[in-house]
């Protein structure tokens, strides 16, 4: 939690992630939603990690703006998906 990266480094990481998701034919929007759920709104700067990272709302907007319908091949086979769901527990959504 005490490690900090520059906002530029985090923005570059987000750009890379958006690019990878697009190459996979997937939307980066869910990744932005996950970041938002994990860190919440930016009102609490008590955590040093939030002070050095891009604003979560900005990251979510950037990834939402790159939203697109899923395309391409499935990321997992039916067997791989079943194995992942079993690891995560029976409550995993399909």
């Amino acid at each position: 939690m005490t490690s900090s990266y520059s906002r530029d480094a985090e923005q570059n990481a987000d750009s890379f992630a958006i690019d990878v998701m697009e190459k996979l034919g997937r939307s980066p929007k869910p990744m932005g939603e996950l970041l938002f759920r994990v860190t919440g709104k930016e009102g609490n700067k008590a955590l040093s990690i939030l002070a050095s990272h891009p604003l979560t709302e900005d990251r979510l907007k950037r990834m939402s703006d790159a939203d697109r319908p899923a395309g391409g091949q499935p990321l997992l086979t039916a067997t791989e998906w079943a194995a992942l769901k079993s690891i995560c527990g029976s409550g995993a959504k399909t």
Side-chain angles (χ1 to χ4, degrees), residues 7 10-11 18 23 27 32 37 39 49 54 61 64 69 90:
R7 288 187 187 264
E10 287 297 319
Q11 289 172 343
I18 290 168
K23 286 178 181 175
S27 172
R37 287 179 63 189
T39 61
I49 193 171
K61 180 179 181 332
S64 294
S90 60

Side-chain angles (χ1 to χ4, degrees), residues 5-18 28-40 42 45 49-67:
Y5 295 93
S6 72
R7 288 187 187 264
D8 288 341
E10 287 297 319
Q11 289 172 343
N12 290 338
D14 288 349
S15 294
F16 175 78
I18 290 168
K29 182 179 177 185
M31 183 174 56
E33 292 169 345
L34 175 64
L35 288 170
F36 189 78
R37 287 179 63 189
V38 169
T39 61
E42 297 299 321
K45 293 289 187 183
I49 193 171
L50 296 179
S52 64
H53 284 52
L55 298 176
T56 303
E57 289 94 346
D58 293 343
R59 295 175 87 180
L60 175 59
K61 180 179 181 332
R62 186 170 174 214
M63 292 177 193
S64 294
D65 288 348
D67 191 22

